[in-house]
């Protein structure tokens, strides 16, 4: 149930606003119920979190680039579907 997932991720984010996976998963749940603006807002939040977490480690930078690509694609899809 996507609404229950959104509620659970929102509760987790009340404890720690920098939980990247919670924000990303909540954005996907919003997409599934066609709440595109909310998903876009979460993508924007995820971008800010990701930027603050990037380190000098090469492996982590590669993972961050992959995550960044996913966020941008998700945001683009939501923007297109939102109209």
């Amino acid at each position: 149930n996507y609404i229950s997932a959104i509620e659970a991720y929102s509760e987790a984010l009340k404890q720690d606003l920098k939980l990247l996976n919670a924000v990303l998963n909540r954005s996907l749940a919003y997409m599934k119920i066609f709440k595109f603006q909310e998903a876009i807002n979460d993508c924007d939040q995820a971008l800010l979190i990701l930027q603050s977490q990037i380190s000098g480690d090469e492996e982590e930078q590669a993972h961050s680039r992959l995550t960044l690509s996913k966020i941008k694609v998700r945001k683009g899809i939501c923007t297109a579907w939102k109209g």
Side-chain angles (χ1 to χ4, degrees):
N1 176 325
Y2 296 116
I3 294 180
S4 295
I6 289 167
E7 291 170 358
Y9 292 128
S10 295
E11 282 300 313
L13 289 164
K14 285 180 185 176
Q15 302 299 316
D16 185 354
L17 290 173
K18 298 214 179 266
L19 293 173
L20 182 59
N21 285 333
V23 176
L24 290 173
N25 290 339
R26 187 174 69 176
S27 74
L28 184 57
Y30 277 132
M31 285 178 69
K32 295 290 189 174
I33 61 170
F34 306 105
K35 291 197 172 229
F36 301 119
Q37 186 57 56
E38 290 85 345
I40 290 168
N41 294 344
D42 276 355
C43 287
D44 289 337
Q45 183 179 353
L47 288 170
L48 292 173
I49 294 168
L50 184 63
Q51 289 171 351
S52 72
Q53 293 179 350
I54 295 174
S55 74
D57 179 71
E58 224 176 282
E59 186 175 326
E60 188 171 321
Q61 284 183 3
H63 183 265
S64 294
R65 284 191 298 274
L66 176 62
T67 302
L68 178 63
S69 297
K70 289 179 183 180
I71 295 169
K72 287 183 175 183
V73 167
R74 186 173 295 172
K75 185 175 177 181
I77 290 169
C78 288
T79 301
W81 284 351
K82 181 181 161 211

